[in-house]
Amino acid sequence: MIKSHPLKGPNRLKLGVFSANADGGLAITDVPERWAAGWQDNLTAAQIADRAGLEFFLPIARWRGFGGKNRVREWSFETFTWAAALAAATEKIGLFMTVHVPLVHPLYAAKSLATVDHVSQGRAGLNIVCGWNPKEFGMFGVPLVEKGYDQAAEWLEIVEKLYASDEPIDYIGTYYTLKEAVSRPASLQIPRPVTMNAAFGGPGRDFAAASCDYLFTTFTEIADAGKHVVDIRERAEKKGRDVGVYTVCHVVCRETQQEAEDYYTRYAVTMADHDAVDQHMAGKKEFSQSHDRDAYDRYRQRFAGGAGSYPLIGTPERIAEEMIAISAQGYAGIALSFVNYTQELPYFCDRVIPLLKKAGLRVE
């Protein structure tokens, strides 16, 4: 008998590791300690997070990088196979797969997702994205879908129908036609593994409100972060559902504030991979709805530092204080990135998590 998924556990503020499967993580930098994302790197980071009691390990899905000196994020592990391997080497942490809906058939996804859920004994999760980078889709000979979240809703419906039926199913939809389709075994989690979606725009949020368990969104300042939570909750309430709201932050945690700020300047300004930052920002601004529009003009350092996510820079006490403030705005969890996960994650876990426990946000 499986236990409940870690994201359904007792901690008020769930924590996870984001983008460790990809070269550089979220940082677009040329510092020598930049994340190489080798397999042993990923395995070590996952086991550190697992032992520390973090709830989830979340990859990005990347098929093409953003150029620059280091061909940023061109190297990345495919997420279904990555999660399956980590599932066999961890004990408690939730392991997510990130899928570009138009590039992966739902029948294949159902089989792969169920496999990871069995290997992990019910710890699998699915991050559903529709994609934004036309160059990646061009590699597959597939155009960007105009109504990607309509396709995603159909895609997820097929996965759920496959798991629910003991007999082959037929399906005729706008995007998919299946004849006598079957996918056994079903997932251990019922009706399917936990799902999340990262969306800033209205269509993505509506999809998450109707179909997902959790939604990831970004914000520019903590003081204004709550408006996104209110928006998402209102959309979910109209569907008679409750959707947990998460965000993403990049972290520099050091003994002193000055040390942390100096390092942030070093890796995200002085030694940023500026050509890659330009490519990444231009593509996101034109094709993605993942950030406030003014963020591209105001926060270039944040894009070099962590793909435009909110920066947690400072001492353990300062970072804990900001995480407590994020929680107070209504966020149920935070996905974290670091310049080098195996070097920095242990210090963060040792110093920040006890402060969050003292504040009552974590009990385990």
Side-chain angles (χ1 to χ4, degrees):
M1 182 176 180
I2 66 168
K3 298 179 180 179
S4 64
H5 192 278
L7 262 62
K8 299 178 181 180
N11 291 325
R12 284 172 52 197
L13 183 65
K14 308 296 192 300
L15 299 176
V17 173
F18 186 38
S19 193
N21 68 308
D23 163 76
L26 290 185
I28 304 179
T29 183
D30 194 35
V31 293
E33 66 274 15
R34 67 187 299 273
W35 186 241
W39 170 246
Q40 189 60 49
D41 298 324
N42 274 262
L43 178 60
T44 300
Q47 291 175 335
I48 291 170
D50 191 32
R51 290 192 299 268
L54 273 62
E55 282 85 1
F56 62 98
F57 213 61
L58 174 64
I60 61 170
R62 198 80 287 136
W63 300 98
R64 186 185 184 97
F66 301 107
K69 177 180 178 180
N70 297 301
R71 295 158 66 178
V72 171
R73 296 185 203 140
E74 186 172 291
W75 167 294
S76 68
F77 288 119
E78 188 280 322
T79 66
F80 283 101
T81 47
W82 173 89
L86 291 176
T90 54
E91 297 179 359
K92 298 180 295 183
I93 196 167
L95 296 160
F96 276 80
M97 290 135 277
T98 299
V99 58
H100 285 112
V101 163
L103 304 182
V104 180
H105 193 279
L107 185 59
Y108 179 87
K111 177 75 78 172
S112 300
L113 180 60
T115 299
V116 178
D117 208 36
H118 280 257
V119 174
S120 66
Q121 300 181 56
R123 293 182 286 127
L126 185 65
N127 179 25
I128 303 169
V129 298
C130 294
W132 60 268
N133 189 342
K135 289 184 177 181
E136 286 191 321
F137 279 55
M139 292 169 60
F140 289 83
V142 175
L144 287 172
V145 178
E146 182 178 354
K147 296 183 177 180
Y149 286 107
D150 290 347
Q151 181 179 6
E154 194 170 292
W155 186 97
L156 185 58
E157 180 184 25
I158 291 169
V159 172
E160 293 180 349
K161 285 181 177 293
L162 288 166
Y163 288 160
S165 178
D166 289 328
E167 302 296 330
I169 67 168
D170 293 335
Y171 187 94
I172 300 176
T174 303
Y175 298 93
Y176 300 101
T177 299
L178 285 73
K179 184 176 182 179
E180 297 185 357
V182 61
S183 183
R184 311 306 288 173
S187 62
L188 292 176
Q189 297 175 69
I190 298 172
R192 38 91 180 129
V194 297
T195 56
M196 65 172 59
N197 169 242
F200 196 89
R205 290 184 172 184
D206 285 339
F207 165 71
S211 302
C212 294
D213 302 306
Y214 307 97
L215 182 139
F216 272 80
T217 191
T218 58
F219 56 81
T220 53
E221 300 298 339
I222 295 176
D224 296 326
K227 66 183 180 182
H228 301 298
V229 177
V230 171
D231 176 56
I232 294 159
R233 285 178 175 168
E234 288 178 348
R235 294 172 192 264
E237 286 173 0
K238 291 177 182 178
K239 301 292 184 179
R241 304 183 70 248
D242 181 21
V243 175
V245 185
Y246 283 52
T247 193
V248 179
C249 296
H250 55 286
V251 180
V252 177
C253 186
R254 298 291 190 270
E255 194 65 36
T256 69
Q257 188 68 31
Q258 190 63 54
E259 183 184 2
E261 292 177 1
D262 287 348
Y263 185 70
Y264 191 36
T265 299
R266 175 174 176 263
Y267 93 81
V269 178
T270 307
M271 297 192 70
D273 189 338
H274 293 287
D275 288 343
V277 174
D278 289 340
Q279 289 192 43
H280 179 254
M281 291 181 64
K284 293 281 279 188
K285 188 173 184 178
E286 182 174 0
F287 297 109
S288 173
Q289 294 185 348
S290 59
H291 300 278
D292 284 316
R293 298 299 295 176
D294 65 348
Y296 296 99
D297 299 320
R298 295 169 59 194
Y299 297 118
R300 178 184 175 86
Q301 184 177 4
R302 294 187 182 185
F303 282 88
S309 60
Y310 186 81
L312 295 173
I313 312 298
T315 64
E317 293 76 16
R318 169 70 178 273
I319 288 174
E321 179 183 318
E322 291 208 300
M323 295 177 81
I324 292 166
I326 291 170
S327 174
Q329 291 286 331
Y331 288 83
I334 306 174
L336 306 168
S337 71
F338 301 83
V339 173
N340 187 297
Y341 298 86
T342 56
Q343 292 179 11
E344 298 179 71
L345 187 56
Y347 182 75
F348 172 88
C349 293
D350 289 345
R351 295 293 301 275
V352 177
I353 290 179
L355 298 175
L356 299 177
K357 289 181 178 178
K358 186 176 180 179
L361 295 184
R362 296 182 67 80
V363 297
E364 296 183 346

